[in-house]
Amino acid sequence: MEGFGFVLVVNGGVGRRGGNVRRGLVRVRQEQEPMGRSRMREVVSGDVSGKLERQLGERNTTEEDMSKDEKTGRIFGIDPSPEVALILLCYFSQGALGISRLAASFFFKDSLGLSPAEMAAFTGLSTLPWMIKPLYGFFSDSLPLFGFRRKSYLALSGLLGAASWLFLGTAVGTTAQAVTALLLASMGVAISDVVADSLVVERVRGRPQAEAGKFQSLCWGASAVGGLLSSYFSGSLLETMSPTAVFQLTSIIPLLGAAVALTLTEKKQEQFPISQAMDSFKLQGQRLWGALTQKAVWMPTLFVFLWQATPNADSAMFYFNTTELQFPPEFLGRVRLISSAAALLGVGVFQTLLKNVPVKKMLVGATLASVPLGLTPIILVTHMNRSLGIPDQAFALGDTAVLAVLGQVAFMPTLVLAARLCPPGVEGTLFAALMSIYNASGAVSTELGALLTSFLGVRDENFTNLPLLLAICNTLPLAVLPLAGMIDAAPTSQPDEKKEKIVDKDNRE
């Protein structure tokens, strides 16, 4: 669940994007981010706009369907079962794991004593596991673990996550240990995300289109609920608990998922020879490379990468909010809640008003709009809002809501573009690779932000150059706009299978 799945990003709530709204939700994914590779296959196999709308739950059940559901005990037309409960728990957990996000920020800042630049650098490292998601799918599909392709990987990912959070909450004493624990916890979530996506695909395969859309929406809704709940409690818990205690509490979530995964009914698979699995991996790699080297694919992808890779000032803003403005954790939790809700509003705005706008026009327009709006945190940093009679907290809440809506509106076209770039034959693998590239651009953005923060000397006791940092981060995307013509290389509609199907040269011979 790329757009809304949990990705470990240790930043604050208010102005956490530093005005850098072009990347939309933090992957979450992605923060918030982040629709999974398998569930997006439905998007790339047909009309992108209509099916993306179903993916995001915009199709509501009719009154007749709801009446039938009430009589039969079904949920959105889906029969409740242990398997359905497990899948929904996976997505809910991905959202609920955000409960530790602010705790991680305060832990790095207060317990480990890191500077804004150092925290930004380590934040970028925590996204590494999300850059290799296609590998998790390959191993799960081709190499059964203890005879199972799904339940064993889900249980393993849950145990990995639980152990990582527990270690972080009880034994971590150095920065290296903390980063390692966060990397492993992030890997656990990424693996479970891939496996859960695979379970969804297997369940909806061959089902009526309407039923598949309902189930997709139910999964997305479970993650959104988990994310909204964790947004507020991520701050309020820190009013009564230490960050390490929050980490210990967080470890229960993946542990519960591991326990429930063992109850999954799955037919035991015959163990494939390693050589056969490697041959399959090699073939998929060749097909993927053949797709990525097509001009219609790599040119738009490169533009989006450059567009999203410009530096951000997230960590510096977190330090300013907590050190200079003395925003308490509970307030930061409220800001995260408003940001998450506003981002959902952004999805609705896109689906209702903007889904038919050309991708190039949307990205250019969003970038131009983000410059003046993205510079508004400078008003907070320079305390100009006080001279206008606007309290810091009120200004921060309003500013965050506006930037979150615009950020999500800007992020949606990149998903549509990625779906349209995928030709038949490698759509699942290529989409996963494109999402990994998107995640990599986010990591580059964070690392560049760390370098720029360090270069300008922005520290927890010196915010003199923070307005300059925000100005640079928000205006640099304009330098990428002259390359927007690269998007024109992308197909305007889903590639025709007869014309675009990728065939491995060795197989033809």
Side-chain angles (χ1 to χ4, degrees):
M1 202 165 198
E2 292 288 349
F4 295 90
F6 174 70
V7 176
L8 283 169
V9 178
V10 282
N11 49 37
V14 183
R16 69 180 186 277
R17 301 223 52 76
N20 188 5
V21 298
R22 64 199 173 280
R23 292 199 334 255
L25 291 172
V26 179
R27 298 166 181 79
V28 321
R29 16 295 262 349
Q30 48 131 147
E31 145 89 36
Q32 293 173 19
E33 90 26 74
M35 285 184 242
R37 65 181 183 93
S38 299
R39 284 180 292 127
M40 283 300 294
R41 291 177 188 171
E42 184 182 356
V43 177
V44 300
S45 63
D47 177 70
V48 175
S49 297
K51 294 193 176 182
L52 187 57
E53 180 175 316
R54 285 199 306 277
Q55 171 71 33
L56 295 173
E58 290 298 313
R59 287 192 175 181
N60 297 319
T61 55
T62 63
E63 292 183 2
E64 181 181 353
D65 289 337
M66 294 174 67
S67 177
K68 290 181 180 180
D69 289 347
E70 291 176 358
K71 294 179 181 179
T72 61
R74 305 174 88 195
I75 305 174
F76 290 103
I78 305 299
D79 290 319
S81 68
E83 181 184 5
V84 171
L86 171 63
I87 294 173
L88 296 183
L89 177 62
C90 287
Y91 290 116
F92 176 83
S93 297
Q94 290 175 23
L97 281 170
I99 198 171
S100 63
R101 189 166 299 143
L102 281 176
S105 298
F106 280 101
F107 183 75
F108 273 117
K109 174 179 175 286
D110 298 329
S111 300
L112 297 179
L114 300 185
S115 68
E118 290 171 333
M119 188 168 79
F122 293 129
T123 295
L125 291 177
S126 69
T127 63
L128 289 176
W130 291 82
M131 299 181 198
I132 55 173
K133 282 186 64 179
L135 287 180
Y136 310 143
F138 162 73
F139 284 118
S140 176
D141 291 338
S142 305
L143 296 174
L145 190 62
F146 304 114
F148 299 101
R149 295 188 301 125
R150 306 302 181 214
K151 64 190 297 183
S152 55
Y153 281 93
L154 274 178
L156 179 64
S157 65
L159 291 176
L160 179 62
S164 301
W165 286 115
L166 190 60
F167 177 67
L168 192 61
T170 57
V172 166
T174 66
T175 302
Q177 292 175 339
V179 172
T180 300
L182 288 176
L183 273 171
L184 293 176
S186 184
M187 178 178 291
V189 182
I191 294 173
S192 68
D193 178 64
V194 170
V195 178
D197 287 343
S198 300
L199 287 172
V200 170
V201 171
E202 291 172 355
R203 183 172 181 83
V204 302
R205 183 183 293 125
R207 299 293 181 93
Q209 201 167 9
E211 183 177 342
K214 291 176 182 177
F215 191 55
Q216 308 270 0
S217 300
L218 190 60
C219 293
W220 178 84
S223 179
V225 170
L228 287 172
L229 290 176
S230 70
S231 294
Y232 176 74
F233 288 109
S234 65
S236 62
L237 285 176
L238 289 173
E239 297 288 345
T240 57
M241 303 172 64
S242 66
T244 53
V246 174
F247 296 151
Q248 295 173 35
L249 179 64
T250 304
S251 68
I252 298 176
I253 299 175
L255 186 62
L256 179 62
V260 176
L262 296 177
T263 66
L264 178 67
T265 302
E266 180 182 0
K267 183 179 179 181
K268 199 165 186 177
Q269 303 289 323
E270 180 181 352
Q271 195 73 31
F272 298 120
I274 297 296
S275 58
Q276 180 179 339
M278 292 307 298
D279 289 341
S280 175
F281 179 73
K282 181 180 179 182
L283 178 60
Q284 282 295 94
Q286 291 172 339
R287 290 177 172 175
L288 178 60
W289 179 252
L292 287 174
T293 53
Q294 293 184 37
K295 185 178 181 180
V297 174
W298 72 260
M299 287 188 68
T301 302
L302 178 60
F303 173 79
V304 174
F305 179 89
L306 295 174
W307 182 69
Q308 295 188 134
T310 50
N312 70 74
D314 297 351
S315 294
M317 280 301 297
F318 171 75
Y319 276 73
F320 177 80
N321 294 328
T322 55
T323 302
E324 177 77 12
L325 301 183
Q326 295 291 307
F327 285 164
E330 189 276 337
F331 175 72
L332 295 179
R334 270 188 285 153
V335 172
R336 286 198 62 236
L337 176 62
I338 290 176
S339 177
S340 298
L344 295 180
L345 176 62
V347 174
V349 170
F350 176 82
Q351 290 296 328
T352 304
L353 304 174
L354 303 171
K355 66 181 180 181
N356 294 321
V357 177
V359 172
K360 177 182 175 181
K361 186 176 181 180
M362 271 292 302
L363 292 181
V364 172
T367 302
L368 294 176
S370 72
V371 173
L373 292 175
L375 291 174
T376 53
I378 295 179
I379 298 176
L380 186 67
V381 170
T382 57
H383 304 301
M384 291 175 57
N385 59 290
R386 297 176 183 177
S387 63
L388 298 174
I390 305 175
D392 292 339
Q393 292 192 1
F395 183 88
L397 287 172
D399 184 59
T400 298
V402 173
L403 294 180
V405 172
L406 179 59
Q408 186 60 26
V409 169
F411 181 66
M412 295 303 299
T414 66
L415 293 178
V416 176
L417 178 63
R420 287 178 173 171
L421 294 179
C422 300
V426 291
E427 55 265 48
T429 303
L430 180 56
F431 190 87
L434 293 177
M435 291 298 100
S436 296
I437 293 173
Y438 284 9
N439 289 332
S441 68
V444 172
S445 172
T446 302
E447 297 300 329
L448 290 177
L451 291 174
L452 190 57
T453 300
S454 177
F455 176 76
L456 294 177
V458 177
R459 301 185 60 83
D460 53 354
E461 73 280 357
N462 182 9
F463 298 104
T464 303
N465 289 329
L466 182 54
L468 177 59
L469 174 64
L470 291 170
I472 294 175
C473 290
N474 280 281
T475 55
L476 271 181
L478 295 176
V480 184
L481 288 188
L483 302 177
M486 299 173 74
I487 299 177
D488 295 332
T492 56
S493 60
Q494 189 63 24
D496 181 68
E497 183 171 355
K498 294 181 180 179
K499 295 181 179 179
E500 301 290 343
K501 189 172 183 180
I502 298 175
V503 180
D504 181 70
K505 292 182 179 180
D506 294 336
N507 287 345
R508 285 194 311 225
E509 293 173 0

